[in-house]
Amino acid sequence: MHPRIEDYALIGDEQTAALVGRDGSVDWLCLPRFDSAACFARLLGDEENGHWRIAPKGVDGPCTRRAYRQDTLVLDTEWETDEGAIRVTDLMPQRDRAPDLVRVVEGLSGRVTVRSTLRLRFDYGSIVPWMRKSDGHRVAVAGPDSVWLRSEPSVQTWGEDLGTHSEFTVAQGEKVAFVLTWHPSHQPRPPLVDPHKAVRVSVKDWRKWVRRCRYDGPYRDTVVRSLITLKALTYRPTGGIVAAATTSLPEEPGGVRNWDYRYCWLRDSTLTLNAGLAAGYRKEAEAWRNWLLRAVAGDPADLQIMYGLAGERRLPETELPWLSGFAGSAPVRIGNDAVNQLQLDVYGEVMDSLALARSSGLPPRPHMWAIQRALMDWLCAQWRQPDEGLWEVRGGRRHFVHSKIMVWVAADRAVRTLEEEPELDGDLDRWRALREEVHREVCEKGYDAERNTFTQYYGSRELDASLLLIPRLGFLPPDDPRVTGTIEAIRGELGYHGLLRRYSTDGTTVDGLPGDEGTFVVCSFWLADALHMTGRHKEARELFERLVGLCNDVGLLSEEYDPVSGRQLGNFPQAFSHVGLVNTALALFGDGEAG
């Protein structure tokens, strides 16, 4: 049986990440970056596409228990067998030069025989490397990639069936540590890492980082786990935050809605910035703001909806036919053609994020306002275009209401900035006029008076969960009847077993794709926020508590959820879902303010 998405836990070093299953198998790892080719791709295929399992010999099923060490990204997985019990501790320590995957096996009781099976497959499971022995290591080389494996102490290791196998016995208190290190094959082997010191230092560093968290309300452990996950999805050298650690995990089992999320989306920017600032992580928020400024620099007409980890712009979409997909959900895609779409909402996201950064007291950047002025000049001339919208539909451009509202947000934040800092240069009258015109048009063309709800796009009867953001964005006050009407309509038409779809896929051509998808986790958090803002605090808290219950056993959320089968769907773990959790917790139980 193929593992479920929620069967996985995340470890990482803030430059890449691995997914570890309940059975002790590392089934996904891209080296050296989040968006590099995977050397373990069993997640999207089978064992022959690469994995590394450590477990008691003869035990094929899941572990007895597992958990992160409190306030860390260090994972402990335990098995109890007739022979005794063992623990495997998995982590990726902060790297000096090269990425390391550390796995420490410890005997807890009795005397247990342990088996390690390592199948390295470079280039997303398509290349079997050449293996050799060197200086106490097993060395795998193919093209640009080289991986070194060693154990401390050395254990019996042999090659068989294009894999590297080890077998050894641990008694109570005994430890065997494995270190797998990647480096470019043309360079010498990097310095050795002390695996036991790496565990101690990682635990200490993570707990020190968590102590900076300002949130001290209900569900603190859950909020902290989400913050740790967001930190783990941050590409430390640049400050960019990837949407997820994976590609092509299906939004519908067996379906084709499988996308690569190992990039940085502008749509997440304001909510991500708010979560970091409000939780007390100003350094990380500033790094994200700085990444944003570098990524969007250039001609405003070329603004993209997403970028690579360092702001790369070319992310061509390709299918990998040799991978069967997660539980047979093909195709497997790398890259993302949505990068070429026009989404007017990202102009609003950028302006909103930079306004939040300014009002929160982040150190200003000398070119920031000049970039904002250029974005506004382009938007004033081009905002009337239809676009693909927030959800990257592939069914053609429309006048999406959320996109137009974000144009209003851009104008509103520009106007407010000039009103608060009149010494700045800008066309205040023009931006005020834009704000008024967009507001008037949205209320005329994007609102269905008969049903008392805003709609997905002009002239449509369809709805969109992104419209729940209207009061949060300040487009209308929470007590406006059009806001409360929209909330009720969305709950009624997009609600599914108490959770929310982002839009309807039943008989519509909006997204241009066959099949269906699950409920969208962050949209349900937005509903909780909207209920809270409109005074329905009890309902908001009840929904939040249900959403927290969707987390897997180690506190992780994917992009979507199927409430009928009780399964997580989509890429994992999903930054947008965890950002939603943090912001809703702060709104319900914290001071809810950034800065």
Side-chain angles (χ1 to χ4, degrees), residues 432-503:
R432 280 175 173 160
L434 174 64
R435 181 174 66 175
E436 293 171 5
E437 182 180 2
V438 174
H439 198 282
R440 181 172 57 253
E441 180 178 292
V442 168
C443 291
E444 290 175 357
K445 298 182 178 181
Y447 175 70
D448 184 339
E450 179 184 342
R451 296 157 65 211
N452 188 29
T453 182
F454 286 94
T455 60
Q456 186 177 38
Y457 56 91
Y458 290 176
S460 168
R461 290 186 61 82
E462 300 296 330
L463 301 182
D464 193 309
S466 63
L467 301 172
L468 294 169
L469 295 170
I470 286 175
R472 182 184 186 124
L473 295 168
F475 185 80
L476 287 173
D479 59 356
D480 189 294
R482 291 168 292 184
V483 171
T484 54
T486 299
I487 294 171
E488 286 309 303
I490 287 174
R491 290 184 84 180
E493 295 188 24
L494 298 183
Y496 185 65
H497 293 266
L499 304 175
L500 279 190
R501 300 180 183 273
R502 52 181 172 172
Y503 53 80

Side-chain angles (χ1 to χ4, degrees), residues 53-360:
R53 184 169 192 250
I54 297 178
K57 182 180 180 180
V59 176
D60 296 325
C63 63
T64 306
R65 69 183 68 88
R66 65 173 182 175
Y68 288 113
R69 296 196 185 179
Q70 183 73 27
D71 293 344
T72 77
L73 200 66
V74 176
L75 179 70
D76 287 327
T77 303
E78 297 181 3
W79 284 265
E80 293 179 356
T81 73
D82 293 340
E83 295 178 306
I86 65 164
R87 175 190 298 129
V88 177
T89 298
D90 290 318
L91 71 149
M92 295 189 71
Q94 284 286 345
R95 70 178 73 172
D96 179 16
R97 286 172 45 193
D100 298 287
L101 172 56
V102 174
R103 314 196 72 185
V104 180
V105 184
E106 179 180 2
L108 300 179
S109 66
R111 190 169 183 83
V112 181
T113 301
V114 180
R115 186 76 178 263
S116 166
T117 300
L118 170 68
R119 289 186 174 90
L120 282 161
R121 299 292 187 266
F122 295 132
D123 192 28
Y124 298 102
S126 67
I127 297 175
V128 179
W130 182 266
M131 299 290 295
R132 61 183 173 86
K133 295 180 180 179
S134 177
D135 193 24
H137 289 73
R138 293 276 176 163
V139 184
V141 177
D145 297 296
S146 179
V147 166
W148 294 62
L149 173 72
R150 79 178 197 277
S151 65
E152 294 184 6
S154 180
V155 296
Q156 178 189 10
T157 300
W158 69 96
E160 181 182 333
D161 298 329
L162 300 179
T164 300
H165 304 265
S166 302
E167 190 172 299
F168 54 95
T169 301
V170 288
Q172 182 176 350
E174 295 180 343
K175 294 182 180 181
V176 174
F178 292 88
V179 181
L180 184 147
T181 304
W182 177 95
H183 71 94
S185 59
H186 65 278
Q187 294 181 357
R189 186 195 68 193
L192 300 181
V193 169
D194 180 336
H196 305 292
K197 180 180 179 182
V199 174
R200 294 193 301 271
V201 171
S202 292
V203 169
K204 178 181 177 182
D205 287 350
W206 275 110
R207 289 176 176 167
K208 180 180 178 181
W209 184 83
V210 166
R211 284 196 295 271
R212 291 166 47 199
C213 179
R214 282 175 36 181
Y215 180 75
D216 195 28
Y219 298 96
R220 186 179 188 278
D221 287 348
T222 304
V223 171
V224 165
R225 178 53 51 197
S226 290
L227 290 167
I228 289 174
T229 302
L230 292 172
K231 176 73 167 172
L233 294 174
T234 301
Y235 185 62
R236 187 183 184 97
T238 67
I241 303 174
V242 297
T246 57
T247 178
S248 300
L249 291 183
E251 297 171 15
E252 179 185 31
V256 300
R257 297 168 182 260
N258 316 318
W259 314 109
D260 194 345
Y261 274 23
R262 298 171 299 156
Y263 307 112
C264 308
W265 264 256
L266 298 193
R267 72 177 185 190
D268 307 1
S269 58
T270 304
L271 296 172
T272 302
L273 193 65
N274 183 80
L277 289 168
Y281 292 100
R282 294 179 64 84
K283 179 180 176 183
E284 288 77 8
E286 184 177 355
W288 171 242
R289 190 277 312 268
N290 292 344
W291 175 90
L292 183 65
L293 284 172
R294 292 192 303 270
V296 305
D299 188 340
D302 296 332
L303 190 68
Q304 298 183 177
I305 69 166
M306 72 180 84
Y307 296 85
L309 306 179
E312 298 90 346
R313 299 191 175 209
R314 297 188 184 276
L315 311 173
E317 187 175 299
T318 306
E319 295 183 4
L320 306 182
W322 61 85
L323 290 174
S324 58
F326 182 89
S329 302
V332 171
R333 298 181 175 98
I334 58 172
N336 199 314
D337 278 348
V339 72
N340 300 312
Q341 291 185 351
L342 171 65
Q343 292 183 19
L344 294 174
D345 64 286
V346 298
Y347 291 84
E349 293 289 358
V350 172
M351 292 296 294
D352 198 17
S353 295
L354 297 181
L356 175 61
R358 188 183 298 273
S359 65
S360 300

Side-chain angles (χ1 to χ4, degrees), residues 41 48 78 168 277 280 400 434 443 485 513 517 545-546 581 595:
E48 292 307 314
E78 297 181 3
F168 54 95
L277 289 168
F400 286 102
L434 174 64
C443 291
L513 296 166
E517 62 180 26
E545 289 168 357
R546 181 177 179 192
L581 189 155

Side-chain angles (χ1 to χ4, degrees), residues 519-582:
T519 60
F520 215 75
V521 174
V522 76
C523 293
S524 296
F525 281 116
W526 292 348
L527 175 57
D529 295 338
L531 291 170
H532 177 69
M533 292 187 74
T534 53
R536 300 163 72 170
H537 308 302
K538 182 174 183 292
E539 291 177 71
R541 293 189 180 202
E542 288 174 348
L543 178 55
F544 176 79
E545 289 168 357
R546 181 177 179 192
L547 291 168
V548 167
L550 304 184
C551 295
N552 74 352
D553 62 309
V554 290
L556 302 182
L557 287 166
S558 64
E559 180 184 33
E560 299 181 11
Y561 187 80
D562 180 0
V564 175
S565 66
R567 296 287 179 87
Q568 296 197 21
L569 298 171
N571 284 301
F572 175 88
Q574 177 80 3
F576 218 9
S577 298
H578 286 282
V579 165
L581 189 155
V582 172

